């Protein structure tokens, strides 16, 4: 290298130096970032990315109002669980509550303000335009505002009521629910002079008799009842409660009842009256009913009791000897005399045994008491005139009461507030997109005194407003801001109104605390449970003036029984894929309407399952496929509510029959005077099981109560456990598998399992299970990882029991060794793991699985936007061509393990709760570690007298132990 | 036994068989195009299926396997007769094999290729099918050698490779005949001449090649025989090692092997009947040959009938609820139509082959063979679909109907089969000429007097001078060998278009080291397979189904397949190296007539013995004598 000359830098050298310096700079490690994460001194209180946080809320999918615990992560909620602190539902949710996630992320949600003046082409508008135009219209002289809202209490009801009271003359607000328990309330009116829906307190119940009230599925507060039922109906120190059911269709509740009396629809109430008569004869009533005997006799006069005398005797004995027996009755929707009578009978039974006031609490009425009765609905609709502004908040009367359309059309302006473009929305002038309730502040008081609170668990997905906000702003725009009584303060946002409301609550509930702490505490708890409960006077009963009304329909007359399905409920949930895809638990059909028909009746019309039947009821004529089954009484055709939508969304539209259209102007149920004929043609109903027979295979096992009581522990065969001790020289070729830390296992109590499929919905939500649609379910390709499967008893064909089928995590799993690529392997904690990345899709594992719980991805799963936002970030979304199945919620196991490890402690029993276990209303599912001698699973697996393994003779050593159902009729 | 050699000379055999390779007629092209078209549609359908998902098939829960797997088992079954005929009948010296063995072997190869497609077609994620192959990769996960599906891969692969080698080795002398014929007719540089020169690997029919060739061929047959039996046994274990009622049965291996041979033989009959007519091979493939195949089918029919009878008996005898109910369902359920079809098709109609009238009537034979082929397909369908559709838990039971996708792909597989077979039949000799000529020659090669002082024959050297004799009578050639041997000549090379086993009786033919290759290969392969399975499973260290990583019982299968595969590969290597088959040029002193019907003898001598050679040559009759220089 040549020397640099002192004063001159040659061009050559300049380039050399520049090149060297440039290279050195480029390669220099001097500007490395600091590879350390510095923790906050004071961690911020807002959500961390990638961390779960939980918000309490209230489920508003039905009027039951269960407390909810929402899992929030990275700005969105992905899963709804029950709020364990809420005494109503004790941390449980039903399938519908689980599917609230699909309501929130419904691809067909109403996203924009839409203006569509009657029959005009809908066009997107703005909030400003809408509020201005509507308020202008309201301000007009002589304008009456009619607000029909879904059931609301608390702050939102306050806003709505205030809005109505400050609007023009004659304005009013009313709360409408299609399931208004009309017959029960009519009966209460007659008996007790109040049309309230009382709170049925099942906490202490040891005997429940129901007259067509499906209290485990859809009746008033099903999760509350199912939860209490689960406790009552299982063995507690040798004590076990019983239940009975009289009704035309073997509903889920009926099938779970120990005594089921199938009656022609409309005659179930006669059983109650026969019981009353017998109680009076025997003189065992605590409150005399002799005054009511003329009425009782007149009801029974000339009627054939749809039960044998010994059955009645037994019901009477069970009911009167129970320390806390209760009778429930009343269809969710019916003005029929027969239903009113049935409710009268049940309430009289309660009265006769002194249950009014203790177990039937009129002093704590249910929020449903606020809803409109059928006559009131009719009156409102007939009174609508051209000068009226009709504001419909979250109600769909065009679907749930089709005659309402005439009234709605008469209104001068129809404003629709809601989350979905439903049937009613199509006839409205303005469509205002509302927040989903999970995006808003709010509160709900399902039973008087239980004040549950809602908070926005995430920012609204779209430019929507809460209903409260809409009413407040509407009033504000109209120049008459709403004043909150009693002090007449005005609020610019609903949140402020809500806060003020809760300040009032705080002043009454805990005067000593500060408003903010009280609210925070309440938000953390989810509500306050004993608010403002005043001792009301006991209701008075009038027995003398009861009238018998019409006779029940002839025994052999054909009739139609409309019943609400556990998943679709009153039909406003029909656009949720999960609920459509989860089969109705008794018929085990999904995705459609069908008519349950008795084989004898089907035989007369030469009908097979899947054939179309044409039904003519009054002026309505419809066609639906039949399901030939003994579920239905011989002369009763059963049709579920929920389908037959012409709007709402792509999953709901054009599917099945709208049962509301059939119940007609009178909203009667059952419907008599029907004509049926074979329609010709058939379809392929999406049955999820082709048979319910067991063929002697002992899938669902029953054990007689007396036998169980006499059984000694040593008489029960030891199970082949998924532990080293399960490996024996005489039946195993290979040595035992040793577990070091855990061996996860599950126990499922079939006596507790009521088949409600809440577990299925929870699993869909937790594990990103795709909805495959009707045609795929028809092909038997549903993706459910857990489903309660109904089986008939081999001995007693009328007995139905459910067995939740999920991966059994066998120790000697037949699926594993057949996989050529180690996609199915056993992990160190006993889980039968499926490695999606490895799977090449030979499907051999599924063939070889004797429990048939593996699910193959036949096609790419579709999560229509924004449903993908709901996906659990901790669970892989599977592509086409791979096998999947239950993982025992491995992500929850790992989370718990990480936390335990961070805190340098051992995992605690009960720390890991699988999604299905978490939501199971009856606590039928128990998960835990078999290596922990004190865990509940160990105790039950080793010690419970009812334990058995499914297909144990195959020596698969399953980790799921089932506990037999108890056959109470064998006591 | 019928005399099949009447009226035929060696050159006539040559002419007749090789005549089939002449340019085809238009019908041939039409057929070829038709089959290719349907096969192409099948390919397009497969692409559609891969892109959309397996949902386009009729598969469901619980029926995870159906048409595709039935096709797989069916085509593996079809593949069986070829090797059975070539290997087992070779070992038991069943003479009728020679007329049909080449076509049967080609059928084997084509069927096994098609069979191999079906596991791929049925995969949910075919784009990662290679996860199943045992090879070292950065994923460091080896396949699960405990899975019957991996055994399948190994067995089918081994079977394909061994069958291919077997087919190819049998083809070498025939290809040489075609090479020489083409060279005479079209010249050295004709493209087909060039191809056949490559295929024939410089085969000269020389003693120094024959002695290795005969040994190697025997070992191929010996290796292929257990392989034939193992392949379908292993395929049957796909089912038998599961626990489903109807699958979990020890009967399956023999039952499947017999069934495979049954359908394979039916397919042979079905192909032979038109083939001999279309290619004017009536004199080569005589009624007697086909009748012998039909006779063999009587045996397989009886095995099938026995299996069908014993199955329900075992279900009843076991007193197992699942087995018995399943057995009843098979006969009464929605799938029973296939049972009532396959039973007479497979076990009753082919029994009529015991009547000579039936097995000599081509129309009847073809009809029954069609029924057997259909029946055997149905049997596989019945087995595969039945057990999956109707297993332990009644709620999971379902039915199955194939969709157009499965129909199309199945039809395409048959068309692909016929397409490939047509291609084969016009491009390679459909009858093993050499084997056939050897049989004709058998009668003419009666001379087997032992040379008084047997000398050990040495290889002829190209630089040494000598005499070349051409014979048309093999006996004269043998006499000449003896005469030269007696005189102490040891540099002798013999050229023959057929196998000449008598030579070994006359002179001392050196020991062929091929057998050491084969033995070494088999032992090496066995240990390699065992080591691979044990080693790989220890790397993975995964427990499946309660079986520890090293579960020796299933690993014997891997070892066995390794033994056969490497035995065959080493055997081939031995043959190529010792038989000098690594060149394409023929040997010193070779003459084109030697691949047709003439025999040659080259005797080499040092200069002083030249007169003596001439003197000795007086003692036998030769056609030509030629002095060759080194």
């Amino acid at each position: 290298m040549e020397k640099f000359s002192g004063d001159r830098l040659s061009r050559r050298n300049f380039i050399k130096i520049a090149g060297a310096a440039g290279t050195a700079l480029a390669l220099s490690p001097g500007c490395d970032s600091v590879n350390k994460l510095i923790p906050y001194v004071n961690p911020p209180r807002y959500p961390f990315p990638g961390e779960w946080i939980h918000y309490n809320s209230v489920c508003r999918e039905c009027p039951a109002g269960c407390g909810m615990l929402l899992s929030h992560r990275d700005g969105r909620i992905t899963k709804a669980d029950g709020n364990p602190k809420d005494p109503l539902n004790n941390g449980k949710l039903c399938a519908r509550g689980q599917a609230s996630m699909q309501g929130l992320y419904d691809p067909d949600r109403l996203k924009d303000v839409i203006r569509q003046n009657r029959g005009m082409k809908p066009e997107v508008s703005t909030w400003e335009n809408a509020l201005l135009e509507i308020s202008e219209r309201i301000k007009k002289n002589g304008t009456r505002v009619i607000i029909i809202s879904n059931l609301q209490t608390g702050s939102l009801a306050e806003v709505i009521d205030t809005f109505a009271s400050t609007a023009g003359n004659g304005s009013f607000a009313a709360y409408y629910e299609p399931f208004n328990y009309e017959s029960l309330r009519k009966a209460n009116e007659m008996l007790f002079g109040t049309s309230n829906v009382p709170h049925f307190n099942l906490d202490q119940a040891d005997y429940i008799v129901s007259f067509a009230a499906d209290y485990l599925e859809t009746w008033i507060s099903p999760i509350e009842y199912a939860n209490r039922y689960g406790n009552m109906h299982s063995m507690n120190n040798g004590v076990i409660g019983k239940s009975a059911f009289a009704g035309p269709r073997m509903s889920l509740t009926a099938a779970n009842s120990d005594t089921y009396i199938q009656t022609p629809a409309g005659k179930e109430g006669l059983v109650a009256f026969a019981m009353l008569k017998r109680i009076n004869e025997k003189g065992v009533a605590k409150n005399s009913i002799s005054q009511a005997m003329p009425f009782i006799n007149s009801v029974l006069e000339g009627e054939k009791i749809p039960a044998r005398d010994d059955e009645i005797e037994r019901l009477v004995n069970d009911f009167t000897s129970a320390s806390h027996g209760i009778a429930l009755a009343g269809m969710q929707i019916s003005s029929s005399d027969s239903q009113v009578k049935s409710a009268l009978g049940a309430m009289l039974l309660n009265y006769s045994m002194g249950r009014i006031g203790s177990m039937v609490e009129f002093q704590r009425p249910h929020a449903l008491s606020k809803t409109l009765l059928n006559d009131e609905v009719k009156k409102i609709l007939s009174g609508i005139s051209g000068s009226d502004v009709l504001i419909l908040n979250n109600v769909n009367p065009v679907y749930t009461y089709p005659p309402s359309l005439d009234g709605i059309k008469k209104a001068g302006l129809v404003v629709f507030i809601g989350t979905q473009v439903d049937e009613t929305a199509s006839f409205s002038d303005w469509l205002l997109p509302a927040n989903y309730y999970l995006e808003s502040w709010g509160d709900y008081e399902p039973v008087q005194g239980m004040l549950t609170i809602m908070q926005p668990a995430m920012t609204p997905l779209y430019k929507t407003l809460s209903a409260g906000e809409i009413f407040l702003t509407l009033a504000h725009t109209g120049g008459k801001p709403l004043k909150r009584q009693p002090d007449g303060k005005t609020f610019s946002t609903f949140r402020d109104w809500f806060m003020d409301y809760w300040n009032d609550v705080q002043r009454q509930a805990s005067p000593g605390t500060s408003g903010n702490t009280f609210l925070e505490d309440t938000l953390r708890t989810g509500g306050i449970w004993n608010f403002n409960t005043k001792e009301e006077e006991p209701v008075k009963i009038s027995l003398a003036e009861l009238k018998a009304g019409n006779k029940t329909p002839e025994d052999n007359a054909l009739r139609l029984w409309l019943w609400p399905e556990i998943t679709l409920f009153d039909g406003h949930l029909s656009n949720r894929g999960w609920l459509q895809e989860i089969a109705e638990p008794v018929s085990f059909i999904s995705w459609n309407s069908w008519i349950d028909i008795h084989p004898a009746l089907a035989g007369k019309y030469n009908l097979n399952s899947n054939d179309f039947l044409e039904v003519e009821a009054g002026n309505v004529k419809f066609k639906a496929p039949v399901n030939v089954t003994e579920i239905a009484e011989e002369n009763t055709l059963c049709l579920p509510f929920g389908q037959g939508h012409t709007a709402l969304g792509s999953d709901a539209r054009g599917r099945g029959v709208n049962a509301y259209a059939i119940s007609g102007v009178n909203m009667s149920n059952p419907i008599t005077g029907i004509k049926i004929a074979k329609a010709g043609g058939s379809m392929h109903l999406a049955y999820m099981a082709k048979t319910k027979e067991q063929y002697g295979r002992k899938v669902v096992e029953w054990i007689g109560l007396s036998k169980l009581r006499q059984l000694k522990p040593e008489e029960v065969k030891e199970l082949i456990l998924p532990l080293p001790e399960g490996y024996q020289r005489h039946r195993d070729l290979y040595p035992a598998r040793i577990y070091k830390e855990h061996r996860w296992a599950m126990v499922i109590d079939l006596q507790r399992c009521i088949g409600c499929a809440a577990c299925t919905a929870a699993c869909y939500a937790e594990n990103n299970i795709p909805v495959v649609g009707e045609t795929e379910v028809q092909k038997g390709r549903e993706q459910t990882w857990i489903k309660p499967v109904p089986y008939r008893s081999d001995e007693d064909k009328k007995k139905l029991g459910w067995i939740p089928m999920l991966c059994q995590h066998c120790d000697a799993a037949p699926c594993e060794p057949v996989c050529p690529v180690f996609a199915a392997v056993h992990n160190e904690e006993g889980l039968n793991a499926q490695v999606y990345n490895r799977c090449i899709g030979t499907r051999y594992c599924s063939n070889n699985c004797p429990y048939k719980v593996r699910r193959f991805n036949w096609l790419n799963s579709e999560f229509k936007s924004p449903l993908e936002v709901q996906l659990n970030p901790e669970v892989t979304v599977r592509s086409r061509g791979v096998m999947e199945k239950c993982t025992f919620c491995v992500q929850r196991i790992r989370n718990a393990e990480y936390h335990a490890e961070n805190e340098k402690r051992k995992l605690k029993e009960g720390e890991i709760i699988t999604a299905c276990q978490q939501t199971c209303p009856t606590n039928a599912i128990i998960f835990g570690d078999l290596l922990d001698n004190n865990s509940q699973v160990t105790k039950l697996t080793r010690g419970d007298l009812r334990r058995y393994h499914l297909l144990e003779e195959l020596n698969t050593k399953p980790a799921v132990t089932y506990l037999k159902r108890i056959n109470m009729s064998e006591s | 036994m019928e005399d099949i050699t009447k009226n035929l000379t060696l050159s006539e055999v040559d002419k007749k068989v090789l005549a089939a390779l002449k340019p085809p007629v238009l019908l041939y092209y039409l057929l070829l195009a038709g089959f290719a078209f349907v096969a192409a549609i099948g390919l397009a359908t497969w692409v559609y299926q891969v892109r959309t998902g397996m949902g386009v098939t009729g598969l469901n829960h619980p029926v995870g396997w159906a048409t595709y797997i039935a096709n797989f088992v069916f085509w593996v079954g079809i593949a069986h007769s070829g090797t059975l005929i070539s290997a087992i009948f070779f070992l038991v010296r069943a003479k009728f094999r020679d007329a049909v063995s080449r076509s049967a072997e080609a059928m084997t190869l084509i069927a096994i290729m098609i069979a191999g497609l079906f596991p791929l077609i049925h995969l949910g994620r075919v784009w990662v099918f290679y996860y199943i192959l045992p090879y070292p990769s950065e994923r460091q996960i080896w396949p699960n050698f405990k899975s019957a599906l991996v055994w399948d891969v190994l067995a089918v692969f081994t079977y394909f490779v061994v069958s291919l080698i077997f087919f190819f080795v049998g083809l070498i002398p025939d290809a040489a005949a075609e090479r020489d014929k083409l060279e005479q007719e079209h010249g050295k540089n004709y493209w087909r001449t060039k191809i056949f020169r490559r295929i024939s690997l410089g085969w000269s029919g020389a003693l120094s090649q024959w002695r290795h060739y005969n040994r190697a061929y025997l070992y191929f047959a010996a290796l292929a025989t257990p392989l034939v039996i193992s392949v379908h046994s292993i395929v049957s274990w796909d089912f038998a090692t599961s626990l489903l009622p109807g699958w979990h049965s020890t009967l399956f291996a023999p039952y499947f092997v017999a069934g495979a041979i049954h359908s394979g033989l039916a397919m042979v009959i079905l192909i032979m009947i038109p083939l001999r007519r279309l290619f004017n091979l009536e004199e080569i493939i005589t009624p007697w040959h086909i009748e012998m195949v039909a006779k063999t089918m009587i045996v397989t029919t009886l095995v099938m009938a026995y299996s069908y009878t014993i199955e329900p008996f075992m279900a009843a005898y076991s007193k197992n609820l699942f087995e018995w109910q399943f057995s009843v369902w098979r006969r009464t359920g929605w799938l029973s139509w296939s049972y009532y079809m396959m039973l007479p098709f497979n076990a009753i109609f082919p029994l009529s082959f015991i009547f000579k009238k039936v097995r000599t009537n081509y129309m009847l034979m073809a009809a029954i063979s069609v029924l057997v082929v259909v029946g055997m397909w149905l049997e596989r369908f019945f087995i595969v679909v039945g057990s999956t559709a109707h297993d332990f838990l009644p709620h999971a039971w379902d039915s199955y109907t194939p969709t157009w996708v499965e129909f199309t792909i199945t039809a395409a597989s048959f068309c692909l089969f016929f397409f490939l077979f047509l291609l084969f039949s016009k491009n390679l000799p459909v009858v093993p000429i050499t084997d056939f000529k050897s049989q004709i020659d058998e009668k003419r090669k009666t001379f087997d007097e032992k040379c008084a002082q047997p000398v050990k024959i040495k290889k002829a050297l190209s630089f040494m001078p000598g005499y070349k004799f051409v014979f048309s009578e093999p006996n004269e050639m043998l006499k000449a060998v003896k005469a030269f041997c007696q005189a102490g000549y040891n540099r002798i090379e013999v050229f023959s278009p057929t196998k000449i086993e008598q030579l070994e009786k006359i002179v001392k033919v050196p020991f062929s080291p091929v057998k050491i290759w084969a033995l070494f290969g088999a032992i090496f392969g066995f240990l390699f397979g065992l080591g691979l399975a044990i080693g790989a499973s220890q790397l993975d260290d995964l427990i499946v189904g309660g079986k520890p990583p090293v579960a020796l019982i299933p690993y014997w299968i891997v070892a066995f397949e390794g033994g056969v595969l490497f035995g065959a590969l080493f055997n081939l290597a031995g043959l190529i190296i010792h038989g000098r088959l690594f060149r394409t040029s023929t040997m010193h002193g070779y003459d084109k007539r030697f691949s047709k019907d003439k025999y040659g003898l080259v005797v080499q001598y040092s200069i002083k013995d030249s007169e003596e050679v001439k003197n000795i040559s007086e003692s036998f009759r030769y056609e030509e004598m030629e002095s060759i220089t080194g």
Side-chain angles (χ1 to χ4, degrees), chain A residues 332-360:
Chain A
Q332 287 84 338
I333 171 172
S334 173
S335 311
S336 302
D337 268 3
S338 66
Q339 288 304 301
V340 177
K341 259 190 278 187
S342 146
L344 274 171
M347 290 316 252
L348 276 171
L349 279 173
N350 287 328
Y351 171 75
S352 74
M353 294 314 293
R355 307 292 178 226
I356 308 292
S358 58
M359 297 185 75
V360 182

Side-chain angles (χ1 to χ4, degrees), chain A residues 307-323:
Chain A
R308 294 191 312 271
D309 284 351
D310 61 309
E311 286 175 324
I312 299 287
E313 187 65 34
R314 190 169 166 160
L315 289 175
V316 168
N317 279 342
D318 287 346
F319 186 63
T320 54
S321 62
S323 64

Side-chain angles (χ1 to χ4, degrees), chain A residues 892-910:
Chain A
R892 293 186 174 209
I893 296 176
R894 291 289 178 250
N895 255 336
E897 284 172 349
Y898 290 147
H899 280 114
E901 184 140 339
N902 279 345
E903 291 161 26
K904 297 201 168 48
R905 60 171 172 83
K906 286 205 153 186
L907 269 176
K908 283 178 288 201
E909 155 81 350

Side-chain angles (χ1 to χ4, degrees), chain B residues 136-381:
Chain B
S137 77
E138 80 290 351
R139 287 171 291 116
Q140 302 206 341
I141 304 183
W142 292 79
N144 175 9
F145 289 106
K146 295 172 203 91
S147 166
L149 298 186
V150 172
W151 310 341
D152 253 6
V153 171
L154 298 175
V156 172
F157 176 73
T158 304
Y159 189 51
F160 177 71
V161 171
V162 172
S163 298
L164 184 68
I165 294 173
F166 201 39
F167 176 81
F168 177 66
V169 168
L171 187 68
I172 291 173
D174 293 9
E178 173 70 2
R179 170 197 66 198
D180 294 342
K181 179 168 174 270
L182 284 168
E183 198 174 325
Q184 270 179 348
E185 287 173 11
H186 299 279
K188 246 184 153 130
N189 293 324
Y190 180 54
W191 62 277
R192 289 181 56 165
T193 316
K194 282 183 186 168
I195 289 176
F196 278 94
R197 184 173 300 120
R198 287 276 152 82
I199 298 175
S200 58
L201 299 180
W203 178 260
S204 316
L207 175 64
S208 59
Q209 289 176 325
W210 273 121
R211 66 189 180 96
H212 299 300
Y213 184 91
N214 286 341
R215 288 280 115 190
Y217 199 79
L218 183 69
Y219 300 139
F220 281 129
L223 285 166
T225 300
L227 187 63
V228 179
I229 293 164
S230 79
V231 172
H232 227 60
S233 299
I234 287 171
V235 168
S236 83
W237 292 337
D238 282 352
F239 307 104
T241 58
S242 80
L243 41 65
L244 299 189
W247 278 11
H248 185 64
S249 165
T250 45
L251 178 70
F252 260 40
Y255 168 38
F256 266 52
V257 172
I261 294 165
H262 195 48
S263 62
L265 292 177
M267 199 62 144
V268 168
I269 292 182
L270 213 51
I271 284 181
M272 283 305 151
I273 291 172
L275 189 78
R276 62 192 288 277
R277 185 70 53 85
L278 290 174
F279 291 97
N280 290 321
L281 294 172
E282 278 109 331
E283 283 164 277
I284 306 269
I285 306 168
T286 62
W288 177 76
H289 288 116
I290 295 175
E291 195 188 331
M292 290 305 284
V293 178
K295 273 185 180 171
T296 317
M297 275 187 74
I298 298 173
V299 180
T300 54
T301 309
L302 288 171
V303 178
M304 296 311 286
Y306 173 78
S307 305
Y308 290 159
T309 323
I310 208 76
E311 256 201 332
F313 169 75
M314 297 214 303
Y317 192 69
S318 71
K319 287 201 170 172
N320 181 310
L321 179 79
F322 302 117
E323 289 288 340
W324 175 240
Q325 286 187 351
F326 181 71
S327 186
V328 171
W329 176 82
R330 274 186 160 178
R331 281 147 199 95
T332 54
W334 57 265
L335 196 59
S336 59
W337 60 269
S338 58
Y339 178 78
Y340 293 110
M341 278 172 82
M342 73 168 203
L343 195 70
F345 285 11
N346 297 337
I348 296 171
F349 292 132
L351 260 192
S352 61
F353 284 159
I354 44 177
F355 302 108
K356 179 125 188 150
K357 272 188 183 159
V358 179
R359 60 174 196 261
T360 47
N361 182 330
Y362 286 145
M363 287 314 286
L364 264 180
M365 265 202 285
I368 289 170
S369 297
V370 168
L371 289 185
V372 170
V373 170
V374 172
M376 285 309 297
W377 190 90
L378 281 176
E379 184 208 276
R380 273 61 177 262
F381 182 79

Side-chain angles (χ1 to χ4, degrees), chain A residues 567-589:
Chain A
T567 48
L568 300 183
F569 193 64
D570 62 8
H572 78 278
L573 307 165
S574 304
N575 200 40
R576 313 214 167 141
W578 299 346
L579 297 179
Q580 284 277 10
E581 194 139 305
I582 293 171
E584 193 279 319
V586 182
S587 300
F588 226 45
I589 299 171

